[in-house]
Amino acid sequence: MAKMQLAGVMLEVDEHGFMQETEKWNEDIARAYGAKEGINELTEDHWKAINYLRSYYLANGICPMIRRLIKETGFTLKKLYDLFPEGPANSACKWSGVPKATGCV
Amino acid sequence: MKKHLKLTDISKDGDEQLDEINIDELVPLPPPYDKGEELPGIKQLTDDQRERLVCNLDGVVSYAALPKPANKEEEEKYVGQFIAGLKKLLSKENNWTFLQPLLLSIDYCARCQTCNDACPVYLASGEKDFYRPTYRSEIFRRIINKYIKPAGKLRAKLGGGDIELNWATISRLYELSYRCNLCRRCAQSCPMGVDNALITRELRKLFSQEFGWAPKELHEKGTVLQLEVGSPTGLRPNVAIDNLKFLDEEFTESTGIRVETPWDKEGADVLLIHSAGDIISFPESVIAFTILCNAAGVNWTLSSEVGGYDGVNYGLFYDDVQLAKVAVRHVQIARKLRVKKIVMGECGHEHKALITVADRLLTGDLIIPRESVMTFLEDIVFSGKIKFDPTKNNFPVTLHDPCNVVRNLGIVEPQRRILRYLCPQFREMTPHGVDNYCCGGGGGLSVMSDVNFTDWKVNVSGRMKFKQILEAFADRLGPEVGKYVCAPCLNCKLQLRDLFKYYGAREKSGIIYGGLAELIVNAMVEIKKPFINWEEEQ
Amino acid sequence: MSLFLVVLTYFAYVFIIAMYVVKAIKIARLPLHLRWELYPVIYEPKSKYGSGFQEDEKGWRKSQGKKLRKGILYLLKENLRFNDYFKSNRGYWLVLFPWHIGFILIVAFHILCFFGALVIIAGNPVTANSVYVIGKIFYYCILITGVFSFIAGAFGSIGLILKRQSDKNLKAFATPQNYFNYIFTLIVFLSGLYAWIFADPTFAQYRDFWRGLLTLSPVSVEPATAVHIILFSLFLVYLPFTRSMHYITKFFAFFWVRWDDRPNFRGSKVERNITGLLNKPVTWSAPHIKSGRTWAEITAEEKYHEKTS
Ligand code: SF4
Ligand code: SF4
């Protein structure tokens, strides 16, 4: 299993850098992920998406559909890509500390 | 310089990479995609990854968790396990499911190499020796002859081309068995009736059923999750229902007609089993079915039982036991709902697994009729109950044939009759129908994305398909004309998504992809706004 | 010597037939397997492009009868023409085809000799100027099949050696046995050719030998012919140890796998078969299989939880 140091914590991650132990997540980790992808400052908009993603995941065991994310946050897809360089599935989910989506999605 | 590999090279220099993929040796694509250097290519592994992972084939890793043997004893143990697995593959108890086809493919290959030219992976790779359909099979065959047959070791010594079974061979065979789409184009071209795809699948089975090694997307987060939670996506029954409620509302609003998806209706005529991935990633497809079934007055339902709302069966790709469990689960649910038949969603391997392969796993009241979505949709379209205006689909459309629906199931025309009726600019790819090229995601590959495996899929296995698509649209390749690749299979759509994203097909050529049901709904008179969304979705 | 030839020939024929029958029975007795057909299935009504079965279930059932004939005809034609190779691998076809034609003709040659001997025994001489038409026909047929077989076979054997050596793709997969086979067949065909040219230009001796064979009154032949007879017998004995069975297994591979579309109904033979197979024990070692149970137990045990919502 790969490991990665983020915000001073050693984390177990998959080969794409997604956290494997979602309970270890904290806001600093999200910031550190962002910084790695060139976003040095997480804005309120970032947090809105991250918090929604994370709470949806914790409640449902899966990331929300993009449509839901768009509806809940009120952001367009383009806006989401502006906020999260690799897009909702690859950046936003990763920064929120949830595992990478698999299984025909 | 192209390297020539011998069969025996597979067992040499266990930690060394056997060969590498050079982007400029790959089959060239037409412009504007001919400049390979503008694309990232296949990501090199980091030093840390090289240290940790098994990467001794082609520089690509599909399964990070492949466990390196710690010492000589462990290597020996693996060899023993491999031989034990081989014996089980050759036994009537453990492998009655495929013993006869396996033996017919093992013993009677004429080594004529005719099948090589049929393989999209081999062709796209610039004819890399280890991607030949025959490379892994011939090695497998020689290992059986040497380690299982009487006096095999002696004969191997005398006969030359003796393959040593060691960690290098085992680990490379493992990875090699996931460099094949199980598309069976090779099998179709073999004059002897030898099926190299079947051999590949038997290899995967050996690894899964004996070692417990299988890509995590297929096994741990695949069939295991499906049987436990309901779907490899992790979608639970209540979340599935909740998502569809949400979608019903969304689409009622955007289409202006009432969209309502029925759940768990006992005694319905039709149990429709979508792939759950469609609910999450391609909701228009799922809603299109709701609209069509309701408009045509079909007495239908979805099921919210665990596994009943996800028709995928990854067991088809790597494991007979998992295949049987998932298939039996699907029919059990249908039996419980007392439906007349099960209709597959737009998912090719679901078709193959449940309609034909599992046909011989079912007995008694589990034998419930199963129908393809293609004939189901054809009946709806030509029922006369829905009004269509084909001019609404007046853009270039081509059809991608999912291998598991055409070559593996023989369903070729119904989908074409629909497209010829509803899409004035429908054109075929060359070749198509039972001779089609796989999208490059077949055999479970489309859901696998560990380490740098996606890079391999978009550069190598999907290359022939992408080339074909571009050629089908060659007359209007510019981005100003929107073009639609109809791919009625979730796995194919996922692969096309990766392909189009990698090459920038939407931006450079205006090509999008989607299912068949969406195209049908798009042509409905009753649907006022265009149903197909030409803007970027994900 | 002449007795030896008779015994050897009988032995060779009995041996090869027995070996092939044993092998065929072995394959035939393997258990029913999961469906794994590949389309087009040549005897389904929509075989031009796909399947009549999956596309149109009801129509398909009506046309079940012609299956076997259509399939066998297709494969026989393919065995004679090698169309698949011709289409996809022309260079290889050019040598492979004559080689196989050599075999087909040499078999035909022997069958003709056999019946020719019967004709002779019945009192009709088989010669060019036989007063009986049937004698003439046999004479020419035997002559033509024999000569063509030797020439085509020899050409093919040499061609295959060269082709396998020069074509990188083929060479990588060649084994010493391949070359041994080619050389062996080359010698068989050449010995026939030699005997024909120098010892037996009308195959009169050969016909006589066969008459002797059938009446169990050994005749002596010239050494060159004797050599060919010995080599051919050895060749027959050797054949079952090669992949030559693919002539026959090809029919199995197509009928029992590639075109096997027999559906499973309640109360059908297929269903009975499956019920038995599902009771076989599973001993695979991977943890998820939880071995030691039967297939039926493994699949049924997966009782699915009630809805979690
Ligand atoms: S699998 Fe068939 S086509 Fe391929 S080398 Fe063997 S005999 Fe020839
Ligand atoms: S199944 Fe398809 S991808 Fe696999 S070896 Fe055969 S032709 Fe190639």
Side-chain angles (χ1 to χ4, degrees), chain B residues 118-121 131 133 136 179-187 197:
Chain B
C119 174
V121 173
Y131 295 150
R136 54 179 100 72
R179 296 294 183 281
C180 164
N181 286 123
L182 305 186
C183 72
R184 297 176 81 204
R185 247 187 143 243
C186 52

Side-chain angles (χ1 to χ4, degrees), chain C residues 249-261:
Chain C
T249 55
K250 184 172 168 172
F251 284 80
F252 300 158
F254 276 76
F255 273 101
W256 294 343
V257 184
R258 194 148 145 185
W259 298 337
D260 178 8
D261 56 1

Side-chain angles (χ1 to χ4, degrees), chain A residues 31-90:
Chain A
R31 286 192 192 94
Y33 269 124
K36 272 177 73 95
E37 290 181 30
I39 305 290
N40 292 321
E41 172 91 42
L42 295 193
T43 63
E44 214 170 289
D45 285 350
H46 284 110
W47 288 117
K48 193 166 164 193
I50 290 175
N51 289 335
Y52 174 67
L53 272 176
R54 194 167 166 79
S55 61
Y56 188 94
Y57 175 83
L58 291 177
N60 298 299
I62 184 173
C63 286
M65 297 184 287
I66 301 288
R67 265 171 196 276
R68 270 219 141 110
L69 181 64
I70 289 174
K71 181 139 190 166
E72 290 295 329
T73 55
F75 303 151
T76 60
L77 192 67
K78 180 165 179 318
K79 164 103 183 175
L80 282 168
Y81 267 94
D82 290 342
L83 290 172
F84 302 98
E86 302 278 316
N90 287 326

Side-chain angles (χ1 to χ4, degrees), chain B residues 94 111 132 159 364 407 412, chain C residues 39 55 169 176 243 271 283 285:
Chain B
N94 280 304
R111 279 89 160 168
R132 290 173 192 280
R407 190 165 28 256
V412 179
Chain C
Y39 288 86
E55 281 194 6
N169 293 342
R243 286 186 305 269
E271 190 196 17
T283 61
S285 310

Side-chain angles (χ1 to χ4, degrees), chain B residues 108-116 134 141 186 189-196, chain C residues 85:
Chain B
Y108 302 106
C109 166
R111 279 89 160 168
C112 65
Q113 311 308 321
T114 306
C115 49
N116 295 345
T134 44
R141 180 177 293 127
C186 52
S189 76
C190 173
M192 296 297 137
V194 169
D195 188 340
N196 286 311
Chain C
Y85 282 112

Side-chain angles (χ1 to χ4, degrees), chain B residues 215-236:
Chain B
K216 67 172 192 303
E217 299 92 337
L218 296 185
H219 184 66
E220 182 192 330
K221 295 188 172 175
T223 51
V224 172
L225 202 60
Q226 184 176 17
L227 291 164
E228 237 172 64
V229 173
S231 158
T233 57
L235 191 67
R236 296 186 194 132

